[in-house]
Amino acid sequence: MSSSDTKIITVIGSGLIGRSWAMVFASGGYSVKIYDNQPGQSTKAIVEIKKQLQELEDAQMLRGEATALQQVALISSYDDLSQALEGAFFVQECVFEQLEVKQSIFQDIERLVGKDVILSSSTSCLVPSNVFSKVQNRSRCLVSHPVNPPYYVKLVELVPHPETAPAVMDTTHTLMTKVGQAPVRLRKEIDGFALNRVQAAIIAESWRLVQDGIISVKDIDLVMSEGLGMRYAFIGPMETMHLNAPEGLEDYMKRYGPGIQRVLTSFGPVPDFCGEGSKGIINASKTTKRAVKSN
Ligand SMILES: NC(=O)c1ccc[n+]([C@@H]2O[C@H](COP(=O)([O-])OP(=O)(O)OC[C@H]3O[C@@H](n4cnc5c(N)ncnc54)[C@H](O)[C@@H]3O)[C@@H](O)[C@H]2O)c1
Ligand SMILES: *[C@@H]1O[C@H](CO)[C@@H](O)[C@H](O)[C@H]1NC(C)=O
Ligand SMILES: *[C@@H]1O[C@H](CO)[C@@H](O)[C@H](O)[C@H]1NC(C)=O
């Protein structure tokens, strides 16, 4: 592709996620325009991206066909929103996780782009019907929820607004696949989307088991890292069950369904994560854990 027909994606917000999306899109050969409302911030982001891409190249972990320098050359920075949006067919928003900030930036973006431009949000926790409530044409809007950091973790949850056009879901799915991500579609919006709902279930039961004195903080982590996690790193729960009984999933449920149901009915209420009841767990985790930051 010559530079004149390279398709343009605009990334709004140049923090952790914005920078990572820019790297992902550039690795797929797209021209990426980064905008941040903090003057100079998006220029700084490119300096950081360049450093990261060169380190990845040195470690032979660079994604895409082009060299680090060729990929950096695809990325440009803007302090002006309308310039940043010019020519883009797809907009990936990565601003603060605050509803009003997202609603207002999408209102501004909609005024500045053509009617076929897709508006996509990186939000972790806000549902599309809230994020896009101030956009006129919601059929072009969706959430593309990445997992941090999207350069290394490929899952992207595509979550539609009730009015999102199927073609917009399809185009985004194709785009994400093309740049090497692993998109999944939710058919409807739901609080927590899919990944965070499954994660919440695991967190809740792990917390209860520790809080109820059944197991230590260190050992519940081993249950995952040396047990369940080994499996789920490669195949999902449905396929695991299917492979775990001679006749597949139906057979699995005949054998193990009643046991799973019995265990599920013994799950307690939503645990106390912040009050008195949490102190022991937090104390114990301080002494056994390295500091980790994830979302
Ligand atoms: N960090 C994660 O683990 C993670 C994972 C998945 C999704 N997300 C989501 O991605 C989004 C961005 O998260 P992050 O961790 O990169 O945040 P961040 O704080 O690192 O970056 C946010 C950036 O947006 C800029 N910004 C704020 N308001 C703006 C506006 N009105 N216009 C333009 N730029 C603006 C800020 O200057 C900053 O550079 C959030 O919605 C978050 O929930 C984060
Ligand atoms: C709304 O967005 C869709 C999807 O991008 C587009 O096809 C349609 O023309 C838009 N409608 C209006 C009135 O702008
Ligand atoms: C916190 O941990 C320390 C060291 O393991 C222990 O001595 C102390 O009793 C704990 N405090 C609480 C409130 O659990």
Side-chain angles (χ1 to χ4, degrees):
M1 266 199 291
S2 76
S3 59
S4 61
D5 56 38
T6 303
K7 293 182 86 180
I8 299 169
I9 295 175
T10 301
V11 169
I12 307 286
S14 61
L16 201 61
I17 295 297
R19 294 196 298 266
S20 204
W21 269 130
M23 289 163 60
V24 168
F25 293 138
S27 79
Y30 289 94
S31 184
V32 183
K33 296 168 101 178
I34 309 183
Y35 165 78
D36 200 290
N37 70 346
Q38 291 288 349
Q41 195 67 32
S42 56
T43 308
K44 275 197 232 151
I46 296 187
V47 175
E48 174 61 28
I49 288 171
K50 184 174 181 187
K51 200 171 124 233
Q52 279 192 48
L53 289 177
Q54 277 167 340
E55 283 169 10
L56 286 161
E57 188 168 58
D58 292 343
Q60 299 192 324
M61 284 170 68
L62 187 69
R63 288 173 58 169
E65 311 279 294
T67 65
L69 279 180
Q70 287 166 334
Q71 294 187 29
V72 176
L74 288 170
I75 308 173
S76 53
S77 62
Y78 296 83
D79 290 340
D80 179 88
L81 183 60
S82 71
Q83 283 172 16
L85 291 166
E86 208 178 303
F89 77 101
F90 190 91
V91 177
Q92 184 68 34
E93 167 276 314
C94 318
V95 304
F96 298 138
E97 184 76 348
Q98 285 165 17
L99 183 58
E100 307 72 46
V101 179
K102 294 205 189 276
Q103 285 174 335
S104 114
I105 190 79
F106 274 117
Q107 214 174 3
D108 294 343
I109 293 167
E110 187 179 37
R111 276 194 227 109
L112 295 166
V113 297
K115 67 180 175 54
D116 290 322
V117 176
I118 295 178
L119 309 185
S120 170
S121 172
S122 299
T123 183
S124 314
C125 301
L126 304 167
V127 289
S129 56
N130 289 335
V131 172
F132 300 112
S133 63
K134 294 192 175 157
V135 173
Q136 304 283 327
N137 184 359
R138 269 96 65 145
S139 69
R140 54 152 88 184
C141 300
L142 79 166
V143 163
S144 303
H145 173 228
V147 186
N148 188 35
Y151 198 81
Y152 301 94
V153 187
K154 294 183 175 180
L155 183 79
V156 187
E157 295 182 283
L158 306 183
V159 188
H161 183 280
E163 293 163 31
T164 304
V168 168
M169 293 292 280
D170 291 345
T171 303
T172 308
H173 195 276
T174 304
L175 167 66
M176 292 301 171
T177 307
K178 196 169 165 224
V179 298
Q181 298 303 95
V184 295
R185 299 167 199 263
L186 271 69
R187 298 203 180 97
K188 273 185 199 177
E189 65 178 27
I190 186 167
D191 194 15
F193 311 147
L195 180 140
N196 278 325
R197 290 180 76 87
V198 173
Q199 178 170 253
I202 293 169
I203 289 172
E205 187 51 17
S206 302
W207 195 274
R208 281 188 212 106
L209 288 173
V210 175
Q211 201 160 46
D212 292 351
I214 310 282
I215 194 167
S216 70
V217 165
K218 184 163 170 273
D219 282 358
I220 192 65
D221 276 351
L222 289 171
V223 167
M224 185 58 77
S225 62
E226 296 295 334
L228 268 184
M230 301 292 280
R231 240 178 229 176
Y232 290 161
F234 301 101
I235 53 177
M238 296 296 171
E239 197 178 354
T240 303
M241 291 186 290
H242 183 69
L243 295 173
N244 251 342
E247 309 288 325
L249 189 55
E250 194 179 359
D251 185 23
Y252 182 92
M253 278 310 178
K254 267 194 209 128
R255 291 162 191 256
Y256 305 112
I260 295 172
Q261 256 171 337
R262 192 189 63 243
V263 169
L264 280 170
T265 56
S266 71
F267 278 24
V270 175
D272 174 10
F273 292 126
C274 300
E276 272 307 305
S278 69
K279 293 208 170 124
I281 301 179
I282 288 161
N283 188 21
S285 73
K286 272 183 195 146
T287 58
T288 57
K289 290 286 152 356
R290 354 164 229 212
V292 280
K293 184 175 180 279
S294 79
N295 189 8

